[in-house]
Amino acid sequence: MKPGTLGLVGCGLAAGLQLLFFLPVVGEGRTLDVALWAGGPPLFRVDGLSLTFGVAWMVALAFAAGTIQSKDRRWAWIGLVPAGLLVSAYAREPVLFYAGWEMAGLGVWLSVSRPKPAKLAAMIHGPGLALLAAIAVGGAGAFAPPEGGAIQEWAPVAVVLLAVAAVGRMLTPALYERLTSDASESRSLLLPVLASTGPFFLAKALVAARWDAWGVWALTLIGTTLLLGVAIATLRGVPLLLPLGMGAIAIIGLGLASASPLAALGAIWLVGLGAFVPLVLALDSNSRYLPWTRAAAVAVSLPGVWLVVQGALETHYTVTAIVILPALILAYDMANRPRGDTPTHKAMLFAALLVMVALAAYPQVAVEWFARPAVGAMAGGVGATGNLGSRWGLGLVSIRPDESLSAALPATGIAVAAFLAWVALYWLRGLLIAITNRSDKHIPPEAQ
């Protein structure tokens, strides 16, 4: 069996087995603590958050692994990536989460091209040091809601260290692009999946404790600053910043999560897409399909962005709410540079496009089956998500405490409008470039 086929089948099977064994537990609103041996301490916890990302990461890895065509021995190390991600997703103890995080990073490091091994190792494993420091300083306990509903809070220094670790992990694809000229190889498609794990520890941290007012402000400031930096870098032509842009909005949403469940829902949506959307864009190496792929990617991101914006407005972070969407669209503009030497896997690309268009046109399903169960597991730091309603014939609605409607997202119409607008703008830009190039040809060389 080819390595790519083996990876595709293995990751798909891992996703299916999780749903088969754990979905009945989570669907009934229960959790399950698992020990490795009888009478031993529970090391793993099955809840809505762990199941959501355990399945999402396996699906994304199945798309990435399915593209691998090389038969050299390095591909065997890729097996460490899904194993590490599953350990991180279901870890009940922070140190075990760190072990899984590093296992996944080691699998990527041993698999991708290594023109500069020391720099690549620092890039992948450096953020783990900040994560360890945050665990030590914050005195983190198990990822389980506090008994008796007692409110616990993360130490302010630990909050900043968590943000540093998340940003470091999200920078992986962009830094790898600078380290190697072979970013087009299939193994580099693992990098967006690895980068999406950056903000995930923030979500796990909210299972047991919340941020205080200073922590909410600090995370929102860090996320907004990072998002503005992504926008400026994109305008200067720096590529592959989409995982960083999506992660920055997720940090904002998770930072506001203790004050606004809407922001938490949007952040979970974007963290999940962070493993999938940059991967799909990287699969598309044909400029004929790229405008459609980007349009679908923008459309599927809109519900998550809308939720984070509503949370920012609800908590009076107006400036943050204003800059989110323009900065993300700029990041999408440099999300992928078509390469002639990258194989286009049309079947996988079109399957992913169908999934993105379906989620964009009908996000109620993903909110109810993906985001809401995950946020429900974050009981230590996020309140109930009753201020979001899913109107199955309309879209998503934000409901005030007095049960009046404050905002609505008619997702189907907005998704179609965003899709058509993106394609029109892409074609108009191409037309302007063509006209400009043609005008330059009529200018005498001595006048240029």
Side-chain angles (χ1 to χ4, degrees), residues 431-445:
L431 178 63
L432 288 173
I433 292 173
I435 292 174
T436 303
N437 291 341
R438 186 174 300 175
S439 300
D440 291 342
K441 292 179 181 178
H442 297 288
I443 301 175

Side-chain angles (χ1 to χ4, degrees), residues 378-448:
M378 297 152 60
V382 183
T385 56
N387 52 346
L388 178 72
S390 295
R391 304 288 172 83
W392 297 100
L394 170 64
L396 304 174
V397 295
S398 177
I399 304 170
R400 293 190 181 96
D402 61 0
E403 298 186 358
S404 62
L405 182 68
S406 64
L409 178 72
T412 304
I414 289 182
V416 172
F419 186 84
L420 295 176
W422 186 274
V423 173
L425 289 172
Y426 184 88
W427 285 340
L428 283 173
R429 186 175 67 169
L431 178 63
L432 288 173
I433 292 173
I435 292 174
T436 303
N437 291 341
R438 186 174 300 175
S439 300
D440 291 342
K441 292 179 181 178
H442 297 288
I443 301 175
E446 62 274 8
Q448 294 187 14

Side-chain angles (χ1 to χ4, degrees), residues 46-440:
V46 178
D47 55 22
L49 181 64
S50 58
L51 177 62
T52 295
F53 282 92
V55 172
W57 283 335
M58 292 306 103
V59 172
L61 283 176
F63 275 87
T67 65
I68 297 172
Q69 310 225 341
S70 174
K71 294 184 178 180
D72 65 57
R73 295 181 179 179
R74 279 185 301 150
W75 69 265
W77 294 108
I78 292 177
L80 290 174
V81 180
L85 293 183
L86 287 176
V87 169
S88 294
Y90 290 98
R92 194 177 187 274
E93 301 294 332
V95 175
L96 187 60
F97 178 98
Y98 167 77
W101 220 44
E102 291 303 301
M103 186 189 301
L106 181 64
V108 173
W109 182 73
L110 293 172
S111 302
V112 301
S113 295
R114 300 193 300 278
K116 299 177 180 178
K119 290 185 178 180
L120 194 61
M123 174 190 75
I124 291 178
H125 297 292
L129 299 177
L131 182 59
L132 268 183
I135 292 172
V137 172
F143 294 130
E147 296 182 4
I151 297 177
Q152 302 180 48
E153 293 181 345
W154 280 83
V157 177
V159 173
V160 175
L161 288 171
L162 288 178
V164 171
V167 173
R169 181 51 59 94
M170 292 186 302
L171 277 168
T172 306
L175 292 176
Y176 181 75
E177 170 77 5
R178 296 182 65 87
L179 286 176
T180 178
S181 59
D182 195 20
S184 63
E185 70 165 18
S186 295
R187 290 181 184 83
S188 66
L189 296 179
L190 297 169
L191 295 172
V193 185
L194 186 66
S196 73
T197 65
F200 182 67
F201 191 88
L202 293 171
K204 290 283 278 189
L206 289 168
V207 173
R210 57 178 293 160
W211 324 123
D212 60 10
W214 189 93
V216 172
W217 174 82
L219 285 174
T220 306
L221 178 63
I222 291 170
T224 305
T225 304
L226 179 61
L227 192 59
L228 289 172
V230 168
I232 294 171
T234 303
L235 290 173
R236 295 175 63 88
V238 178
L240 300 178
L241 292 177
L242 178 59
L244 196 58
M246 296 182 74
I249 300 177
I251 289 176
I252 293 171
L254 290 169
L256 295 171
S258 294
S260 171
L262 284 178
L265 285 166
I268 291 297
W269 181 291
L270 290 170
V271 174
L273 287 182
F276 190 70
V277 169
L279 173 65
V280 174
L281 288 168
L283 279 173
D284 191 350
S285 63
N286 192 322
S287 59
R288 290 186 304 163
Y289 305 129
L290 193 56
W292 304 96
T293 308
R294 285 181 175 172
V298 170
V300 77
S301 300
L302 279 180
V305 172
W306 179 79
L307 286 166
V308 175
V309 167
Q310 291 303 313
L313 293 173
E314 186 178 66
T315 51
H316 306 292
Y317 282 89
T318 309
V319 175
T320 297
I322 291 171
V323 303
I324 284 177
L325 187 58
L328 183 64
I329 289 179
L330 281 174
Y332 270 113
D333 190 54
M334 290 293 289
N336 179 39
R337 294 180 299 178
R339 298 177 175 88
D341 58 345
T342 303
T344 301
H345 305 271
K346 291 184 180 180
M348 277 199 258
L349 178 63
F350 290 149
L353 279 174
L354 287 176
V355 172
M356 290 198 300
V357 171
L359 289 177
Y362 210 64
Q364 299 93 314
V365 173
V367 165
E368 298 301 331
W369 295 355
F370 179 88
R372 202 184 291 272
V375 173
M378 297 152 60
V382 183
T385 56
N387 52 346
L388 178 72
S390 295
R391 304 288 172 83
W392 297 100
L394 170 64
L396 304 174
V397 295
S398 177
I399 304 170
R400 293 190 181 96
D402 61 0
E403 298 186 358
S404 62
L405 182 68
S406 64
L409 178 72
T412 304
I414 289 182
V416 172
F419 186 84
L420 295 176
W422 186 274
V423 173
L425 289 172
Y426 184 88
W427 285 340
L428 283 173
R429 186 175 67 169
L431 178 63
L432 288 173
I433 292 173
I435 292 174
T436 303
N437 291 341
R438 186 174 300 175
S439 300
D440 291 342

